[in-house]
C-alpha cells in the first residue's frame, strides 16, 4: 500500500510515518497543504491521509478540489474537529473516512486497511445505461437523454453504487459502508434524505421513480419501462 500523508505537526507526522512503514506501508509525507494536489495528481497513491488544518491549502479544500476533478482514490481525513457539522463537511467534501485526534494507531491502521480493500474493487465499466439515464463514471456525469443532472459527489456515489447493482436490493449497511464507512456518524435517516433528494432530481415527470425502496432492507435501481 502506498500512502500520501499530509500532516504539519512534525512530531505526529514523523510518528505516523514510522509506524506505517513498520507495517509495510510506503509513506510520502508533506507538511504544507499546497503540496497535496500536485503529489496526488501526479503520483499513484492508494490512500491520501489528510490533516484538516494545514498551512496553505487545508486538507478539506484539497480533498474537495481533487474530487471535483474526478480523483477516485481513497481519502482519510484527520482532524481535531469532532462536531457532527464538521464531520459532515469533511465527508461532503469527498472524504471516505474521518478520524478524530487524538487516535490510537491501531485504529488508523485498521481504517487504512479497510479503505485499501475497498479501493481494490475496480470499476468494470466507464458508462452505464439505466433506462433513459446514462451514467458516465469517468466524467462523473449523469444524463437523462441529453440533459445533464447536477449531482453532488455523494449523490453521484450513491447512484453509481445502485447502478452497479441494478435490479438488486442494496442493503442500507452496504450503502453506509461503501459510501461513508461503517465507523462514520451517518445515520439511516441521512441515507433516506439523500435518496429523497436523488428521487427529486431523477423525477421522470409521471410520478414514477427508478429508485425503489425495499422496506426494512434497502434500495434498488430499476430501469424505467
Amino acid at each position: 500500500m502506498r500512502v500520501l500523508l499530509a500532516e504539519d505537526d512534525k512530531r505526529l507526522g514523523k510518528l505516523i510515518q514510522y509506524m506505517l512503514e513498520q507495517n509495510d506501508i510506503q509513506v510520502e509525507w508533506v507538511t504544507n497543504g499546497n503540496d497535496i494536489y500536485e503529489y496526488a495528481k501526479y503520483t499513484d497513491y492508494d490512500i491520501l491521509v489528510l490533516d484538516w488544518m494545514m498551512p496553505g491549502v487545508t486538507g478539506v479544500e484539497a480533498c474537495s478540489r481533487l474530487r471535483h476533478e474526478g480523483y477516485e482514490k481513497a481519502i482519510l481525513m484527520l482532524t481535531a474537529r469532532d462536531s457532527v457539522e464538521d464531520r459532515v463537511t469533511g465527508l461532503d467534501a469527498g472524504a471516505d473516512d474521518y478520524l478524530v485526534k487524538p487516535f490510537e494507531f491501531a485504529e488508523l491502521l485498521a481504517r487504512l486497511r479497510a479503505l485499501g480493500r475497498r479501493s481494490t474493487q475496480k470499476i468494470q465499466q466507464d458508462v452505464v445505461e439505466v433506462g433513459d439515464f446514462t451514467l458516465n463514471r469517468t466524467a462523473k456525469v449523469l444524463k437523462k437523454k441529453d440533459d445533464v443532472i447536477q449531482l453532488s459527489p455523494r449523490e453521484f456515489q450513491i447512484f453509481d453504487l445502485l447502478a452497479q447493482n441494478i435490479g438488486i436490493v442494496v442493503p442500507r449497511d452496504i450503502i453506509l459502508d461503501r459510501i461513508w464507512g461503517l465507523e462514520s456518524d451517518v445515520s439511516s435517516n441521512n441515507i433516506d434524505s439523500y435518496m429523497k433528494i436523488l428521487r427529486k432530481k431523477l423525477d421522470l415527470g409521471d410520478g414514477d421513480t427508478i429508485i425503489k425502496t425495499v422496506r426494512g432492507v434497502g434500495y434498488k435501481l430499476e430501469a424505467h419501462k
Side-chain angles (χ1 to χ4, degrees):
M1 185 186 298
R2 190 175 190 183
V3 169
L4 174 66
L5 170 65
E7 172 59 67
D8 63 317
D9 183 327
K10 294 184 178 180
R11 181 175 177 274
L12 178 60
K14 185 176 182 179
L15 177 61
I16 293 174
Q17 182 180 35
Y18 172 78
M19 295 297 288
L20 291 180
E21 288 177 345
Q22 293 303 300
N23 285 271
D24 298 322
I25 297 175
Q26 184 178 351
V27 180
E28 290 187 41
W29 172 30
V30 298
T31 57
N32 192 296
N34 294 328
D35 294 328
I36 295 172
Y37 179 81
E38 295 299 321
Y39 274 69
K41 288 292 286 185
Y42 299 108
T43 305
D44 187 21
Y45 299 104
D46 297 294
I47 303 173
L48 307 184
V49 180
L50 309 181
D51 184 31
W52 184 305
M53 296 303 296
M54 296 282 294
V57 175
T58 67
V60 74
E61 289 170 344
C63 176
S64 180
R65 179 183 178 187
L66 287 166
R67 291 303 193 209
H68 182 72
E69 296 186 9
Y71 189 81
E72 295 182 344
K73 294 300 181 70
I75 299 177
L76 170 65
M77 195 71 65
L78 301 179
T79 180
R81 298 169 178 256
D82 60 357
S83 73
V84 173
E85 291 80 6
D86 288 328
R87 295 188 188 197
V88 169
T89 297
L91 293 170
D92 282 344
D96 297 283
D97 203 353
Y98 192 106
L99 190 56
V100 177
K101 299 177 181 179
F103 52 81
E104 296 293 333
F105 177 76
E107 182 178 7
L108 171 61
L109 187 60
R111 294 196 184 206
L112 290 178
R113 285 172 173 163
L115 288 172
R117 288 193 296 271
R118 292 209 294 272
S119 69
T120 61
Q121 297 173 358
K122 303 296 184 182
I123 293 173
Q124 299 300 314
Q125 302 180 64
D126 291 325
V127 177
V128 176
E129 303 286 342
V130 184
D132 291 336
F133 298 92
T134 301
L135 178 72
N136 187 315
R137 294 192 177 116
T138 303
K140 294 291 186 291
V141 170
L142 178 65
K143 289 184 177 181
K144 180 185 176 184
K145 296 182 179 178
D146 294 326
D147 296 325
V148 175
I149 299 174
Q150 298 295 332
L151 299 180
S152 71
R154 197 67 67 188
E155 292 162 0
F156 187 92
Q157 287 178 296
I158 294 171
F159 188 90
D160 188 14
L161 176 60
L162 295 177
Q164 290 180 62
N165 298 278
I166 188 167
I168 301 172
V169 179
V170 181
R172 289 171 176 271
D173 59 345
I174 296 297
I175 296 173
L176 177 61
D177 179 38
R178 293 291 299 278
I179 306 301
W180 287 277
L182 289 175
E183 300 299 320
S184 75
D185 288 332
V186 174
S187 69
S188 181
N189 288 337
N190 293 131
I191 296 175
D192 292 339
S193 296
Y194 272 102
M195 292 300 179
K196 183 177 180 180
I197 294 170
L198 262 177
R199 282 174 169 150
K200 185 175 181 180
K201 291 184 176 182
L202 302 177
D203 183 15
L204 297 169
D206 56 5
D208 200 1
T209 177
I210 63 172
I211 298 178
K212 308 295 184 182
T213 301
V214 179
R215 193 172 299 277
V217 181
Y219 296 89
K220 69 177 178 178
L221 201 61
E222 291 183 351
H224 183 64
K225 299 179 180 180

